[in-house]
Amino acid sequence: MDIYLDNSATTKCFDEVVEAVSYMMQTEYGNPSSMHRKGSDAEREVARAGETIAATLKVMPKEIIYTSGGTESDNLAIIGAAYAYQRRGRHIITTQIEHPAVLQSMKYLQSQGFEVTYVPVDSMGRVCTESLLSAIRPDTILVSVMAVNNEIGTIQPIEVLGEKIKKRNPNTLFHVDAVQGYGKIPIYPRRYKIDLLSVSGHKIHGPKGIGFLYVNEKVRLKPIIYGGGQQKGVRSGTENASGIVGIAKAADIVFHDIENDVKRMHALREMFVKELLQIDNVFVNGGKEGFCAPHIVSLSVPGVRSEVLLHALEEKGIYVSAGSACASHKPAVSETLKAIGLPKEHLSSTIRFSFSVFTTEEELVYTVTCLKELITELRRFTRR
């Protein structure tokens, strides 16, 4: 049997999502911007989708901008806000363990003369709140902090941060990359003082190639894509109507019984971690109970290279990730693992397991059994 434990890389689409996308492609295939009935019908479906998505965040549909996914949402939020508010200042703050979509956007802005402060995290991956707050200046226009780290699963205190950032400087915008957090932890932009929030469809059993950015109605963004002026001129290009309906359907299913689903995943994670720690000389990285996401487990296995263990598990029908699959498939040392101070021998010996609503206890028990056998065998081979 195939056991898919790489859900932080991408997820299997819900059957209902496939049906919704197919319906849009085959029946309501009109361009939402067209003036005829086919266009109006597609536009109506897009509007309904917007209401569904907005309801999950308790925001207004007009505050949702559709993108091609989490990477574009992060780019639009960071670069778009930086250029829109550069007259106020050119200072931005983020953390050392952000997703490449955030860190590379920051590097681009630095090349354009913006100043970026990278705040450190502790050994669990939690941002140092006081360091972040002390870095805020009168010319700080944006703070960007992810909700859940994609490699180690640590939850950042975004609710506390939002409140304190606004007290320190009311004009500083707060961006949250919620690609790994949406549908896994509570996130309410207005209550948490979040101005910009990034989400990706294929992380919640929706289609690839679709995401959205929540933009508070009072926030201005300079477009990074130009064209026909769709979506109020913020993001030009024909709306991906089938993708939009697909991500809305996925969100509707995910949030239908979210409390019980998340509770079940937390229980599975707790059981899985407990069993993993019975293996000699292995280490679980990142957040502990109380500030760890329910679906991510990062495991370091000193003496066994991550790619070797990944492919050994693959031979058993178990699919995991060697760190993050959101960058190039070429192996690279994780900036997140370095930032939390992992020993050098652990950096190249870490794999990530990530669950979904489809993950079962039986699958995890089998995975632990395979790990015990493989780690012993591979370590013996390494010592030769």
Side-chain angles (χ1 to χ4, degrees):
M1 62 175 172
D2 282 350
I3 298 177
Y4 185 74
L5 298 176
D6 197 17
N7 291 279
S8 286
T10 196
T11 56
K12 175 185 176 181
C13 275
F14 290 127
D15 291 342
E16 298 91 334
V17 169
V18 175
E19 293 171 4
V21 170
S22 178
Y23 171 76
M24 290 298 297
M25 287 183 165
Q26 296 183 317
T27 304
E28 303 295 3
Y29 50 81
N31 187 323
S33 296
S34 295
M35 297 179 67
H36 49 64
R37 182 172 56 82
K38 270 294 183 186
S40 297
D41 290 344
E43 184 182 25
R44 191 177 304 112
E45 294 291 342
V46 169
R48 288 173 182 162
E51 292 172 358
T52 298
I53 290 170
T56 67
L57 295 171
K58 301 188 184 304
V59 299
M60 295 181 289
K62 68 178 182 179
E63 295 177 306
I64 303 298
I65 300 294
Y66 299 105
T67 67
S68 62
T71 292
E72 186 190 336
S73 292
D74 285 341
N75 276 246
L76 176 58
I78 294 166
I79 298 173
Y83 282 130
Y85 291 93
Q86 61 182 320
R87 289 188 179 180
R88 283 188 187 172
R90 294 171 69 83
H91 179 235
I92 302 171
I93 299 171
T94 191
T95 80
Q96 295 177 344
I97 63 169
E98 297 299 309
H99 188 277
V102 170
L103 294 178
Q104 292 301 317
S105 294
M106 296 296 177
K107 287 184 179 180
Y108 165 73
L109 289 173
Q110 284 180 288
S111 74
Q112 301 302 301
F114 287 84
E115 181 184 353
V116 179
T117 297
Y118 298 89
V119 178
V121 295
D122 63 21
S123 61
M124 293 291 118
R126 293 269 279 189
V127 64
C128 178
T129 302
E130 290 309 312
S131 294
L132 188 151
L133 294 175
S134 65
I136 296 176
R137 311 184 316 215
D139 63 337
T140 303
I141 55 174
L142 177 69
V143 173
S144 180
V145 179
M146 68 192 337
V148 172
N149 184 267
N150 56 301
E151 292 185 52
I152 59 177
T154 300
I155 298 173
Q156 301 296 352
I158 55 174
E159 182 176 8
V160 173
L161 288 175
E163 186 72 32
K164 292 187 175 183
I165 288 167
K166 294 300 182 180
K167 284 184 178 178
R168 187 63 61 97
N169 185 344
N171 291 323
T172 298
L173 299 179
F174 185 31
H175 167 245
V176 171
D177 177 340
V179 168
Q180 294 294 340
Y182 182 72
K184 305 297 192 308
I185 63 172
I187 304 177
Y188 302 107
R190 291 190 179 278
R191 188 190 307 171
Y192 295 2
K193 312 296 184 186
I194 297 170
D195 300 291
L196 301 154
L197 184 94
S198 304
V199 173
S200 178
H202 72 106
K203 310 294 188 180
I204 60 164
H205 307 282
K208 296 178 180 65
I210 185 68
F212 67 81
L213 178 67
Y214 159 76
V215 184
N216 183 284
E217 62 176 335
K218 297 179 181 179
V219 172
R220 294 179 290 108
L221 292 178
K222 187 172 177 60
I224 60 174
I225 294 177
Y226 293 89
Q230 289 90 344
Q231 300 198 70
K232 297 171 288 188
V234 176
R235 203 275 191 180
S236 290
T238 299
E239 291 96 329
N240 178 2
S242 58
I244 291 168
V245 169
I247 189 176
K249 174 59 70 173
D252 187 45
I253 296 171
V254 165
F255 281 84
H256 176 69
D257 196 20
I258 186 170
E259 289 186 9
N260 286 327
D261 287 337
V262 168
K263 184 178 180 180
R264 190 181 72 85
M265 276 194 283
H266 267 301
L268 287 175
R269 185 186 189 279
E270 185 177 357
M271 178 276 294
F272 188 57
V273 168
K274 182 178 179 180
E275 292 298 319
L276 288 177
L277 293 178
Q278 300 302 311
I279 304 173
D280 183 51
N281 195 31
V282 301
F283 303 88
V284 173
N285 309 307
K288 296 181 179 180
E289 289 302 322
F291 56 91
C292 65
H295 64 303
I296 297 176
V297 176
S298 172
L299 184 74
S300 292
V301 186
V304 181
R305 291 189 64 83
S306 55
E307 311 96 88
V308 174
L309 184 53
L310 181 152
H311 291 301
L313 286 167
E314 183 182 4
E315 291 296 314
K316 301 285 188 179
I318 302 167
Y319 301 93
V320 302
S321 174
S324 169
C326 300
S328 167
H329 64 276
K330 297 178 182 178
V333 176
S334 163
E335 293 299 324
T336 294
L337 299 183
K338 287 197 297 184
I340 64 174
L342 247 57
K344 187 175 181 181
E345 64 176 326
H346 293 198
L347 295 177
S348 59
S349 303
T350 298
I351 58 175
R352 180 189 67 186
F353 305 89
S354 46
F355 313 154
S356 79
V357 293
F358 296 119
T359 303
T360 67
E361 182 175 351
E362 179 187 14
E363 291 176 333
L364 296 182
V365 169
Y366 175 74
T367 299
V368 171
T369 300
C370 291
L371 278 168
K372 289 177 179 178
E373 296 174 356
L374 290 170
I375 290 172
T376 299
E377 180 182 341
L378 293 171
R379 280 177 173 162
R380 188 183 303 121
F381 178 80
T382 303
R383 294 191 189 102
R384 291 177 182 173

